Amino acid sequence: MSTTAQPPKTQHSPGTASASTASKAARLLGDRRLPVVVTATLFVVMYLVGLGRYQNYGFGEPQVFLNLFIDNGYLLVAAVGATFVILSGGIDLSVGSVIGFTTMLTAWLVQKQELPILVVIPIALGVGAFGGFLMGYVIHNFEIQPFIVTLAGLFLFRGLCLVISKESIAIDDSSVSSMAQAQAQLGVGFLSIGAIIALVVLAIAFYVLHYTRFGRRVYAIGGNEHSAMLMGLPQGGTKIAVYTVSGFCSALAGLLFTLYIQSGDPLHATGMELDAIAAVVIGGTLLTGGSGYVMGTLFGVLVLGLIKSIIQFEGTLSSWWTKIATGVLLCAFILIQRAMTARKKT
Amino acid sequence: MTTTPTPTPRWRALTQHNLFWPVAVLVVLLLINVPFTPGFFSIKMTDGHLYGSLVSIVLFGSPLILVAVGMTLVIATGGIDLSVGAVVAITGALTCSYISDQADQDSLAGVFLAMGIGLVAAVVCGLWNGFLVARMGIQPIIATLIIMVAGRGVAQLITDGQIITINSEPYKLIGGGYWLTLPFSIFVVAAVVAITVALTRRTALGLLVESVGGNAEASRLVGIRSLRIKIMVYVFCALCAGIAGLMISSNTSAADGNNAGLWIELDAILAVVIGGTSLTGGRFSIGGTVVGALVIQTLTTTIYTIGVPTQTNLVFKAVVVLVVCLLQSPKFRAKVFGGKFGSGSGAKGGGTSAATPADTAPTTAAAPKMEVS
């Protein structure tokens, strides 16, 4: 995208060596892909550090790498949904609650109502997408801030979890557990169904965002809603669709989480919206909307996942280091973004 | 709704007052309690302490009011502070861990020092937020997300992942003690609210905050130090959260890095929104926020007292939030009530078409004028 715009810039700059390096640095900072590259590099560096430190404990096994996808597939799906919303300039705080609600609903329908899982899946997805649609509808039609509407969504779905049951419901349905245990052999290791679905969702999102009209509209609305409206883009429909996508992705993430953990619990995935938002931000998507890549989100999720597995390998460290490390990373990436947007404006 | 056949200007002025809806919701919520709890409004004197549902609503709502008042000023500058819950946890954790390390936990000097340490930590968090927002120009929701995510980790680090319990009589006073027959925390809240109102409405400070929220760049150009004002509101908000953190940890005599102040930022934002402060900044109402916080606390209490299973608490909260937000949305009022909102029961009076544009106008000043002309 920005590569085509760059050659003219260099022509304007003076030919001295120092100026050309300065413009190179400027160009690099102005490149929208920079944060994705930085995150990817960070991931590789962290992986190498992990390799150096825990090689004797089997960190180098390919399966450890594949486990990143298995253990974080649901987060990837949720973060992909959040990427759509954030690209459009909105925010969805209901992600974690919808995931929790989906685990609860699925567990309740499968365990207590004894519905076959294949019937439950479309119901769960439908409920999630409908919830997203409703939030998008209210946001667009009544011009209430997304922050507040999805906050109400957060309360609503978490409350509905508790309405279904205060206790967690373990799933011992045989079809669910066989689904959860199904593995795709890759020669060097295996992936779970959840991980594969997450990668498929990522591929679809990549296609939709970069190769379809809908994707262009999402970027356009996030870039400048007013201009998009003046251009005649169907802004309302796009906005509602974005929240529907997010709701659908959250429900799908909830299903994957159910498979991963094989139970429903009213407290599942509390605060996961923040993990998802953090993954999107670390992946280089601007929170103001209009700029970013869903591939960046993948690296954001992988980096967060890698922090968790490194802490697991470290053994002595406690879970709160995950939070602190995530916060520090978040801070670093926000400052990088800031440096980039500051450059663009001048 | 009113039963008067013709809409009177006074009724209209009343419904357009920014405190009307929050207070109306609060009154309705309080009244709902009456059939379920006989003597809901009565206040008894036992052992020299006042007891009653109203007292306990204010008592349990104290930390929320504090956090929400701080949040109001941040939101008035067009910002938002998501880190308050983490600040609550950090302050409580630091203070309690300092007190628990002391040989004599009842020593006044020790308790004051511990509270000082906790509040200084809160102020540091506020400075950090203010620095990121004002100096670095980062979106407030993101800048404060950092401490929201990392802060709870820090709090757990301080408490070593444990729940620290303490046994300090003087410290117990702040959140669980009584003074002059009333819970002490009510006095703390009253003092903070009074100081805030005095500073913002008796001096130009409130105006400056609103001006920064309205347009930070324009304020800077007319000579307002908007950077300083922004940093100040984040520090103030964190300080309020810190005091709330003292209150919460004092009430339970324990610091829980994981759960102290959990979701309080969301409740506080709700309180601010219910109170009629716009999230886009530029205008604020401390009174509205206090009422908003009381609405949320009353809702919680109501759910307990009328015997609805407590787990539906969140569903009720969600519904109330949506209803209040929808009622505040001019577009919703225009669509659903067909522009006859505020003119009594529209169906009965038939409605006057002249009132339609006035009702959709978001400013209160424009509405009466248009009707007169």
Side-chain angles (χ1 to χ4, degrees), chain B residues 66-91:
Chain B
L66 276 179
V67 173
V69 164
M71 185 75 80
T72 310
L73 291 191
V74 169
I75 289 179
T77 64
I80 203 142
D81 190 346
L82 295 182
S83 70
V84 284
V87 173
V88 163
I90 292 176
T91 313

Side-chain angles (χ1 to χ4, degrees), chain A residues 100-162:
Chain A
F101 174 71
T102 311
T103 68
M104 212 60 206
L105 181 71
T106 313
W108 183 69
L109 287 178
V110 170
Q111 244 1 85
K112 309 276 171 182
Q113 308 300 314
E114 294 175 353
L115 284 178
I117 183 74
L118 287 177
V119 178
V120 174
I121 288 174
I123 296 177
L125 291 178
V127 171
F130 183 67
F133 168 80
L134 275 187
M135 285 188 271
Y137 183 84
V138 172
I139 289 167
H140 173 67
N141 281 291
F142 304 130
E143 288 174 359
I144 306 178
Q145 273 150 327
F147 185 83
I148 281 296
V149 176
T150 55
L151 183 60
L154 182 156
F155 284 138
L156 183 68
F157 279 104
R158 192 58 73 185
L160 289 176
C161 279
L162 290 161

Side-chain angles (χ1 to χ4, degrees), chain B residues 271-338:
Chain B
V272 175
V273 172
I274 292 174
T277 298
S278 154
L279 273 174
T280 47
R283 223 158 35 105
F284 69 90
S285 157
I286 299 280
T289 297
V290 173
V291 175
L294 288 176
V295 165
I296 292 173
Q297 193 55 46
T298 311
L299 186 65
T300 313
T301 310
T302 309
I303 290 164
Y304 282 119
T305 53
I306 66 177
V308 174
T310 50
Q311 57 267 30
T312 50
N313 188 331
L314 283 168
V315 176
F316 272 83
K317 218 179 243 180
V319 171
V320 169
V321 174
L322 263 183
V323 168
V324 172
C325 285
L326 286 175
L327 285 177
Q328 283 177 355
S329 152
K331 233 182 156 181
F332 177 81
R333 292 200 292 223
K335 275 189 185 175
V336 173
F337 299 102

Side-chain angles (χ1 to χ4, degrees), chain B residues 73-74 126-127 130 134 199-200 205 209 226-238:
Chain B
L73 291 191
V74 169
L127 278 174
L199 280 180
T200 54
L205 212 54
V209 166
S226 58
L227 280 190
R228 207 178 273 181
I229 299 257
K230 273 191 181 174
I231 295 178
M232 198 196 72
V233 293
Y234 283 94
V235 170
F236 177 72
C237 182

Side-chain angles (χ1 to χ4, degrees), chain A residues 169-329:
Chain A
I169 304 173
I171 302 177
D172 51 18
D173 185 79
S174 61
S175 56
V176 175
S177 43
S178 63
M179 228 182 200
Q181 281 153 12
Q183 293 171 350
Q185 295 299 329
L186 295 177
V188 291
F190 65 88
L191 281 178
S192 66
I193 287 194
I196 292 170
I197 292 177
L199 289 173
V200 170
V201 167
L202 180 76
I204 295 174
F206 182 80
Y207 175 78
V208 168
L209 278 175
H210 297 300
Y211 295 99
T212 64
R213 265 188 291 180
F214 175 67
R216 290 280 95 197
R217 286 177 190 156
V218 172
Y219 276 95
I221 287 179
N224 189 329
E225 190 171 342
H226 193 65
S227 309
M229 195 188 74
L230 291 178
M231 276 165 68
L233 289 185
Q235 156 218 26
T238 310
K239 254 186 172 176
I240 295 174
V242 159
Y243 287 95
T244 313
V245 166
S246 178
F248 178 85
C249 282
S250 304
L252 184 56
L255 283 173
L256 299 189
F257 195 69
T258 317
L259 276 189
Y260 181 68
I261 212 149
Q262 296 201 37
S263 70
D265 188 284
L267 291 177
H268 270 337
T270 312
M272 195 168 284
E273 56 282 340
L274 298 173
D275 285 343
I277 293 170
V280 174
V281 172
I282 292 174
T285 301
L286 284 191
L287 268 141
T288 39
S291 171
Y293 299 94
V294 73
M295 278 302 159
T297 303
L298 169 67
F299 282 108
V301 170
L302 287 180
V303 165
L304 291 186
L306 197 55
I307 293 176
K308 269 188 254 167
S309 35
I310 285 182
I311 283 169
Q312 267 167 22
F313 269 89
E314 192 69 36
T316 53
L317 288 174
S318 302
S319 69
W320 52 80
W321 284 109
T322 316
K323 293 177 189 167
I324 296 177
T326 310
V328 170
L329 267 185

Side-chain angles (χ1 to χ4, degrees), chain B residues 10-279:
Chain B
R10 177 175 287 182
W11 168 249
R12 172 181 289 276
L14 191 66
T15 57
Q16 303 233 329
H17 190 275
N18 63 353
L19 275 183
F20 175 79
W21 285 112
V23 172
V25 172
L26 181 60
V27 169
V28 168
L29 275 176
L30 287 174
L31 289 178
I32 287 174
N33 276 288
V34 174
F36 293 96
T37 317
F40 181 73
F41 287 101
S42 74
I43 291 172
K44 286 187 283 290
M45 178 76 99
T46 319
D47 300 338
H49 301 329
L50 286 178
Y51 284 100
S53 306
L54 293 182
V55 177
S56 52
I57 285 174
V58 182
L59 171 63
F60 293 124
S62 298
L64 180 59
I65 297 176
L66 276 179
V67 173
V69 164
M71 185 75 80
T72 310
L73 291 191
V74 169
I75 289 179
T77 64
I80 203 142
D81 190 346
L82 295 182
S83 70
V84 284
V87 173
V88 163
I90 292 176
T91 313
L94 263 182
T95 308
C96 286
S97 67
Y98 187 84
I99 292 180
S100 72
D101 283 346
Q102 285 180 323
D104 175 21
Q105 296 194 358
D106 287 342
S107 118
L108 262 183
V111 168
F112 274 116
L113 187 59
M115 284 161 50
I117 291 173
L119 292 179
V120 165
V123 167
V124 169
C125 290
L127 278 174
W128 168 253
N129 285 334
F131 167 76
L132 285 182
V133 172
R135 194 66 66 175
M136 305 298 293
I138 295 169
Q139 269 175 294
I141 184 174
I142 306 312
T144 55
L145 187 66
I146 297 171
I147 293 190
M148 184 186 189
V149 173
R152 232 162 248 292
V154 171
Q156 281 171 286
L157 191 66
I158 294 168
T159 62
D160 214 15
Q162 309 288 315
I163 295 176
I164 296 183
T165 50
I166 53 167
N167 189 13
S168 166
E169 275 307 313
Y171 188 57
K172 183 83 191 159
L173 176 70
I174 308 168
Y178 282 81
W179 190 57
L180 294 180
T181 73
L182 278 173
F184 186 73
S185 56
I186 291 181
F187 291 98
V188 177
V189 168
V192 170
V193 171
I195 291 170
T196 314
V197 169
L199 280 180
T200 54
R201 292 306 183 206
R202 296 288 162 203
T203 73
L205 212 54
L207 192 67
L208 298 185
V209 166
E210 291 187 328
S211 127
V212 169
N215 188 334
E217 184 60 15
S219 326
R220 194 184 63 80
L221 291 176
V222 298
I224 297 171
R225 297 177 191 269
S226 58
L227 280 190
R228 207 178 273 181
I229 299 257
K230 273 191 181 174
I231 295 178
M232 198 196 72
V233 293
Y234 283 94
V235 170
F236 177 72
C237 182
L239 189 62
C240 285
I243 300 174
L246 294 182
M247 227 175 239
I248 291 172
S249 62
S250 148
N251 194 13
T252 55
S253 281
D256 180 354
N258 218 7
N259 295 314
L262 198 63
W263 302 124
I264 203 168
E265 56 276 334
L266 302 180
D267 276 349
I269 294 165
L270 286 188
V272 175
V273 172
I274 292 174
T277 298
S278 154
L279 273 174

